[in-house]
Amino acid sequence: MAEDGQPLRGKVALITGAARRIGRATALSLARSGASIVINARSSAAEIEKVADEVRALGAGAMTHLADVTDEEAVAAMFEAVDARFGRLDVLVNNAADRREAPLTEMSFADWRAITGTILDGAFLCARSALPLMVRSGGGVVINIGGMTGHTGAYNRAHVCTAKAGLVGLTKAIAVEFAGRGITANCVVPGKIGGERARSAGAGGSVPGTGQPIVGREGHPEEVAEMVRTLAVPTGRFITGQTIHVSGGMYFP
């Protein structure tokens, strides 16, 4: 770790879906650790520019790039732009997601493809472009932001459940295939994330699986971002292939 407390100084991190909430919090957390940040969104240009301003205010480098992670050519162009700007990539956080609800028998194939495309295909396309840059840089970190419904199931979200479960498999595949090249891969699974305190059943909170965190409150985006940072810094590089739940005890693997 750097003496000034910036263990990611000189490193570059790209976060997809970084305009708000967990993506924004992750961008700021990694910036505080010294990384230059590439902030991606599909269409929220004004919002990612605000995040970039926040990153620069922390003394870190920032770059914004609009790209639909389901568009193969757009993804390739984004990573080419990162390479041209920074000449390296060290951390990829696949956070981009989309959520819609419909009963399985009423779900259109277009909606299925849209959700699985953003969450799972997008993570694949970004990882495929990022990994050669990481190998060239001497190693790196891939962190996929999963979802608890990928482990529990959910009503009217078969597409989301399937895509988030697929991220676990992708994480393990990357961890195994690239371990020998200094690259780790992990999946961080948020529970209920919001600013308000969750209702709990009794003084001790709810039993896992009943829909409420046992700690008696919802989580904050910054708490998920802290786990991402822990996995991204050098002291977290002995952890790979893991699925880590940040849920306040809402789900026990």
Side-chain angles (χ1 to χ4, degrees):
M1 181 176 292
E3 292 182 1
D4 60 1
Q6 292 193 319
L8 295 178
R9 174 174 285 186
K11 306 296 186 182
V12 178
L14 187 153
I15 302 114
T16 66
R20 58 186 74 89
R21 291 178 58 76
I22 290 172
R24 170 184 169 273
T26 298
L28 298 179
S29 179
L30 298 183
R32 289 188 189 96
S33 293
S36 294
I37 309 297
V38 182
I39 304 146
N40 160 264
R42 180 168 52 192
S43 59
S44 306
E47 289 182 271
I48 60 174
E49 288 298 338
K50 288 180 181 177
V51 177
D53 288 341
E54 292 180 279
V55 167
R56 294 184 187 108
L58 295 170
M63 170 185 171
T64 60
H65 193 102
L66 289 177
D68 182 342
V69 297
T70 69
D71 184 325
E72 186 173 9
E73 292 184 358
V75 169
M78 176 168 65
F79 284 89
E80 288 171 4
V82 172
D83 192 20
R85 171 74 178 273
F86 295 106
R88 64 182 301 126
L89 182 69
D90 305 278
V91 180
L92 169 65
V93 182
N94 284 313
N95 175 64
D98 196 358
R99 293 174 180 83
R100 304 176 196 177
E101 294 191 359
L104 179 60
T105 55
E106 299 173 19
M107 187 178 294
S108 71
F109 188 49
D111 278 347
W112 171 273
R113 292 296 301 271
I115 298 299
T116 59
T118 299
I119 296 171
L120 187 54
D121 295 349
F124 160 71
L125 290 173
C126 288
R128 189 180 66 177
S129 287
L131 287 163
L133 297 181
M134 292 181 181
V135 170
R136 197 182 70 196
S137 298
V141 179
V142 177
I143 299 170
N144 296 316
I145 304 300
M148 201 161 57
T149 58
H151 303 269
T152 65
Y155 290 106
N156 302 328
R157 285 192 172 190
H159 39 20
V160 176
C161 296
T162 301
K164 291 294 190 179
L167 287 178
V168 175
L170 178 62
T171 298
K172 292 178 180 180
I174 294 170
V176 171
E177 189 168 343
F178 288 87
R181 284 171 273 188
I183 294 169
T184 60
N186 291 286
C187 184
V188 173
V189 182
K192 280 192 174 181
I193 303 300
E196 298 179 0
R197 189 174 182 83
R199 293 179 179 273
S200 59
S206 300
V207 175
T210 62
Q212 297 294 346
I214 61 173
V215 298
R217 66 169 177 86
E218 295 181 350
H220 304 292
E222 292 76 14
E223 292 173 307
V224 181
E226 177 61 20
M227 178 53 66
V228 174
R229 189 200 70 82
T230 297
L231 295 169
V233 300
T235 52
R237 301 295 298 282
F238 194 58
I239 305 168
T240 194
Q242 303 304 304
T243 298
I244 301 171
H245 291 261
V246 184
S247 67
M250 190 173 173
Y251 173 77
F252 289 173

